[in-house]
Amino acid sequence: MDIKDTYPKAEETFSLGTSDHAEALRLVRIKAVEVDRKFEALRQQLLLQSKPPLKELSDAQITKISDIYYAHRLEEDEELRLSGFYDEDEPRPDLPTLSFEEYAELIEDTGSVDKNHYARGKVDEFYLGEVDEVLSWENINLRLSPSSPSRKKLARALQAASIKARKDIALRNEGEVVETPKTEVTGISPTFPLLSAAVEDWASEKARTRWVAKTEREHRVWMGHFVSLVGYKPINKYTKADGRVFKLLLLKLPANWNKYDVLKELPIDKAADKAAEDGLPPMSDSNVNKLIGFVSSFWHWAKENFDDALANPFKGLKIKTTKDVRDERDPFSTEELGTIFKAPIFTGCKSRRQWQQQGSLILRDTGLYWVPLISLFTGMRLGEIIQLYTADVREEDGILYFSVNKDGEDKRLKNSNSRRDIPVHPMLIDLGLLDYVERQRQSNEQRVFPDLPMGEDGYYSSPFSKHFSRFLKSVGVKRSKNAFHSFRHSFEDACRDSDVPKETMDAIQGHGEDGQSRRYGRGYMLQKRSEAMNRIRYRDLDLSHLLPK
């Protein structure tokens, strides 16, 4: 349970007090509801404690709380009258029961003290102590900072409500009919929209700023699956129990589950149960974590967009993996790199369409030729290379470099650290890359690789990634743990082998800006990167056959 560690008992036990089976079934349902209410009360208490305290209350909140307090005082009076006063002509009961005369005198005396203090702007310690008590009531449920200036304002409002209530109680003592008001408990705690409305705002904003169509579709689909399991509620009403329901479903569900004939017509919860029953292989831990991340990202956004802190029902629910991230993709071995760059694309093929077959055409004027080479000698990500503009190949103080940026509607970067300047490796210059870029400029091409289209999902990398997977299979070096991204790992290994400092390698790779890349100004940083780039060599890799004749 989500409250197991904080609930005062290990279990709830009770006697139904009956041996009748039908009566026992009826009573156990009643008891179960009572236990659920206890659990929910504790959840609400824990949620309140997890929230940062409010710095201030609005005037509207203070007014509403004082109205509730006024009604509460009149309700107490009604309950006292229903239980009855002690009659002075009868023996005094054991319980501390007031007579009507004693009660009337108490109301008058305390009311007189409150009015005296209120007139002089003094707030009694009793009402200052009432503040936290009243804020903790189930229909208010707020937490106020101990240093908040609203404390004294609310205490004075409670004092005023008590004076007003005592005045009406005094009228009741005279036989007047004063109704206890029914208070509408709205406008006190911050209000939250239903998930359905908030998801639309979230998805629309992300689609405007960061998401491509595929990313938006994935987030919407999996949020839809989450809702199909736990339903729509105000966004502050989701708990870790809801997150666990979703996680447990994912742990049973196969990857691409809707491509299985036995599952594709079923609701997702039934599909998960069916998959487990049939022994179908579940999705990987990394995929489970990715899908949890899709839905969890909504609450990260909501936390930034609503005044009151929201508990993320998925916090801590991702599967803890011990696998080294470096183990997810292998670098290419020297032998594999030699095989890759002796393929027909680089040495001669029949045509662009027949790139797998030996011929006399070297595809020097295509991205198929240059993209792998640029990644080999820069460690750039696939998408970063393909989205380059000709204007992104620049020179400063005699240093040629690639400007990795998102200055264009069709460009995107993985994160803020991805924006960087990468010196052009001397081998790329020797191979003729600058001549190729200049030809694109002369043809008025904006992009360095206009022959490589964007995929339907909005990413340049998607079509090329599929091509490169086919390419690796065609030359016989495809393994389960290599892909285009393996060039990035190969480049990192070459940096280490060439004694490039880690902070310089990280700056070139876009891993972060610590070490030298944070300490030095831009010009000096570019110079240091260029010096490092000039040292990078791939031991035992011979690419001399690619040099222009």
Side-chain angles (χ1 to χ4, degrees):
M1 291 179 61
D2 55 318
I3 57 172
K4 180 180 179 182
D5 295 336
T6 53
Y7 197 68
K9 302 178 183 178
E11 58 182 356
E12 282 283 354
T13 59
F14 45 80
S15 172
L16 297 175
T18 182
S19 59
D20 182 81
H21 181 69
E23 179 67 5
L25 288 177
R26 185 183 70 82
L27 292 174
V28 79
R29 286 194 290 268
I30 295 172
K31 289 292 186 181
V33 170
E34 291 176 0
V35 171
D36 284 344
R37 285 175 179 165
K38 288 181 181 179
F39 290 169
E40 186 57 31
L42 180 57
R43 286 190 183 100
Q44 290 300 321
Q45 181 184 349
L46 293 174
L47 180 60
L48 180 62
Q49 292 172 353
S50 71
K51 298 176 181 178
L54 298 173
K55 294 180 180 179
E56 287 192 72
L57 298 173
S58 68
D59 291 342
Q61 285 175 313
I62 291 174
T63 299
K64 182 65 71 174
I65 294 168
S66 67
D67 288 346
I68 292 173
Y69 190 70
Y70 163 74
H72 169 73
R73 298 305 297 267
L74 290 185
E75 284 172 1
E76 284 185 327
D77 175 70
E78 289 230 19
E79 290 172 3
L80 183 61
R81 292 178 196 276
L82 286 171
S83 64
F85 295 107
Y86 153 64
D87 191 330
E88 293 182 348
D89 294 333
E90 299 175 358
R92 184 178 288 274
D94 293 334
L95 294 174
T97 305
L98 295 172
S99 69
F100 176 77
E101 289 75 15
E102 289 171 336
Y103 181 60
E105 184 178 349
L106 177 66
I107 292 297
E108 183 177 350
D109 289 347
T110 55
S112 178
V113 171
D114 279 350
K115 287 193 288 185
N116 183 279
H117 285 171
Y118 190 79
R120 287 161 175 75
K122 294 174 61 179
V123 179
D124 194 284
E125 286 296 321
F126 170 77
Y127 293 106
L128 288 170
E130 283 281 83
V131 167
D132 283 324
E133 169 64 25
V134 173
L135 290 177
S136 71
W137 288 353
E138 185 178 356
N139 56 350
I140 297 176
N141 202 29
L142 292 176
R143 185 171 164 224
L144 188 62
S145 170
S147 60
S148 172
S150 295
R151 284 188 168 273
K152 188 172 182 180
K153 290 173 68 176
L154 179 56
R156 183 167 168 79
L158 297 180
Q159 188 179 35
S162 191
I163 293 170
K164 180 182 174 184
R166 285 198 178 94
K167 181 179 178 181
D168 287 337
I169 291 170
L171 288 174
R172 286 178 175 177
N173 289 342
E174 295 173 6
E176 297 290 338
V177 177
V178 180
E179 299 289 345
T180 300
K182 302 297 181 184
T183 55
E184 288 289 331
V185 188
T186 57
I188 300 175
S189 295
T191 56
F192 293 92
L194 281 175
L195 184 62
S196 53
V199 163
E200 283 303 314
D201 292 340
W202 165 63
S204 297
E205 179 182 319
K206 292 294 185 180
R208 283 171 58 93
T209 55
R210 296 190 62 181
W211 289 350
V212 295
K214 178 187 177 185
T215 308
E216 180 181 1
R217 183 169 61 254
E218 287 174 334
H219 282 73
R220 283 184 179 275
V221 164
W222 286 100
M223 178 61 83
H225 290 321
F226 171 70
V227 170
S228 73
L229 294 174
V230 300
Y232 279 119
K233 296 184 272 191
I235 61 175
N236 63 323
K237 296 300 182 182
Y238 290 92
T239 66
K240 189 157 284 191
D242 297 315
R244 251 194 347 270
V245 168
F246 186 65
K247 176 181 177 179
L248 292 174
L249 174 139
L250 296 178
L251 291 173
K252 295 187 288 186
L253 202 65
N256 298 314
W257 66 276
N258 50 5
K259 293 184 178 179
Y260 286 80
D261 290 339
V262 294
L263 305 181
K264 62 184 180 182
E265 301 298 331
L266 298 175
I268 194 169
D269 56 335
K270 303 298 183 186
D273 290 340
K274 177 67 173 170
E277 181 184 320
D278 291 355
L280 297 176
M283 67 179 72
S284 66
D285 291 351
S286 61
N287 210 28
V288 170
N289 287 343
K290 181 181 77 170
L291 300 180
I292 288 175
F294 283 165
V295 185
S296 176
S297 65
F298 165 79
W299 272 273
H300 291 302
W301 171 86
K303 185 177 180 180
E304 300 297 325
N305 281 269
F306 292 91
D307 291 336
D308 203 26
L310 288 166
N312 187 336
F314 293 95
K315 184 177 181 180
L317 286 188
K318 286 188 176 181
I319 298 171
K320 305 297 187 293
T321 57
T322 57
K323 185 166 67 172
D324 191 329
V325 174
R326 283 180 54 81
D327 292 338
E328 294 179 6
R329 284 280 181 256
D330 280 343
F332 292 118
S333 67
T334 301
E335 292 74 18
E336 288 171 338
L337 289 174
T339 299
I340 287 170
F341 292 108
K342 288 178 182 175
I345 285 176
F346 301 96
T347 60
C349 60
K350 281 194 172 182
S351 68
R352 181 182 171 113
R353 290 178 60 87
Q354 296 172 298
W355 52 264
Q356 300 181 45
Q357 300 177 35
Q358 291 285 349
S360 59
L361 177 64
I362 299 176
L363 299 178
R364 286 183 182 276
D365 281 330
T366 72
L368 301 181
Y369 182 93
W370 287 109
V371 169
L373 285 166
I374 292 174
S375 188
L376 179 69
F377 286 105
T378 65
M380 287 168 66
R381 298 178 180 92
L382 178 56
E384 293 173 342
I385 299 172
I386 300 177
Q387 71 183 13
L388 284 170
Y389 288 177
T390 56
D392 295 330
V393 184
R394 306 176 183 177
E395 182 176 351
E396 181 177 311
D397 297 330
I399 299 172
L400 290 161
Y401 65 96
F402 298 104
S403 172
V404 181
N405 60 66
K406 57 177 181 180
D407 302 334
E409 291 184 359
D410 61 336
K411 290 184 178 182
R412 59 189 72 255
L413 298 179
K414 183 176 181 180
N415 52 50
S416 59
N417 292 324
S418 299
R419 183 187 288 270
R420 62 202 188 279
D421 297 334
I422 305 175
V424 179
H425 191 280
M427 187 62 177
L428 291 175
I429 297 173
D430 292 344
L431 291 172
L433 175 63
L434 298 184
D435 294 333
Y436 166 80
V437 173
E438 186 57 31
R439 287 196 294 275
Q440 301 308 311
R441 288 179 178 144
Q442 294 297 323
S443 299
N444 294 320
E445 294 288 357
Q446 182 183 50
R447 292 174 53 222
V448 174
F449 303 111
D451 60 311
L452 300 181
M454 180 182 287
E456 293 181 0
D457 59 359
Y459 289 94
Y460 281 120
S461 57
S462 298
F464 196 97
S465 182
K466 292 176 182 177
H467 151 78
F468 197 75
S469 181
R470 293 192 300 270
F471 170 81
L472 292 181
K473 291 176 183 176
S474 74
V475 297
V477 298
K478 184 72 181 88
R479 294 180 281 106
S480 61
K481 292 173 66 175
N482 68 13
F484 188 90
H485 200 71
S486 297
F487 282 125
R488 192 164 165 84
H489 293 291
S490 295
F491 179 79
E492 290 180 354
D493 284 349
C495 287
R496 296 184 187 96
D497 196 40
S498 303
D499 296 324
V500 172
K502 181 181 184 302
E503 60 269 23
T504 305
M505 180 182 75
D506 286 348
I508 292 172
Q509 292 286 73
H511 284 164
E513 294 204 356
D514 47 5
Q516 286 185 0
S517 58
R518 178 166 300 211
R519 289 198 301 267
Y520 301 129
R522 180 183 175 281
Y524 186 61
M525 182 169 59
L526 185 62
Q527 178 65 38
K528 297 297 287 186
R529 292 180 190 179
S530 179
E531 292 171 1
M533 188 66 81
N534 290 340
R535 292 203 303 273
I536 296 172
R537 297 289 183 274
Y538 282 89
R539 188 180 301 179
D540 300 325
L541 177 62
D542 183 9
L543 297 181
S544 59
H545 62 284
L546 300 182
L547 294 171
K549 300 296 190 287

